[in-house]
Amino acid sequence: PTAPTQPQIIIGDADEDGVINIFDATEIQLYLAKYKVLSETQMIAADADKDGIVNIFDVTRIQLYLAKYITEF
């Protein structure tokens, strides 16, 4: 038997589709507006500024990344 693998978490990839794009920012906004619940791994990925809190600053950081104002999380 093989051991279960841990899911790979990509910081900024809040919708867990393997890419960081505007849909990730939208996913966090929907969570903040209480329209969506994020899983534990989504919460880790959504915390783009790594401060332990998922908030609008994470959305902004993803937008800055997409606009190429920053190059990493």
Side-chain angles (χ1 to χ4, degrees), residues 12-30:
D13 183 22
D15 65 2
E16 298 182 307
D17 68 352
V19 294
I20 301 169
N21 55 35
I22 197 62
F23 297 115
D24 299 302
T26 301
E27 191 85 356
I28 298 168
Q29 290 171 323
L30 290 170

Side-chain angles (χ1 to χ4, degrees), residues 58-71:
D58 300 301
V59 174
T60 301
R61 189 145 179 90
I62 291 169
Q63 291 170 330
L64 289 170
Y65 174 81
L66 295 173
K68 302 191 184 322
Y69 283 103
I70 61 172
T71 57

Side-chain angles (χ1 to χ4, degrees), residues 33-46:
K34 302 194 185 310
Y35 282 105
K36 250 191 131 127
V37 176
L38 300 181
S39 71
E40 184 178 334
T41 55
Q42 284 180 296
M43 290 294 286
I44 294 167

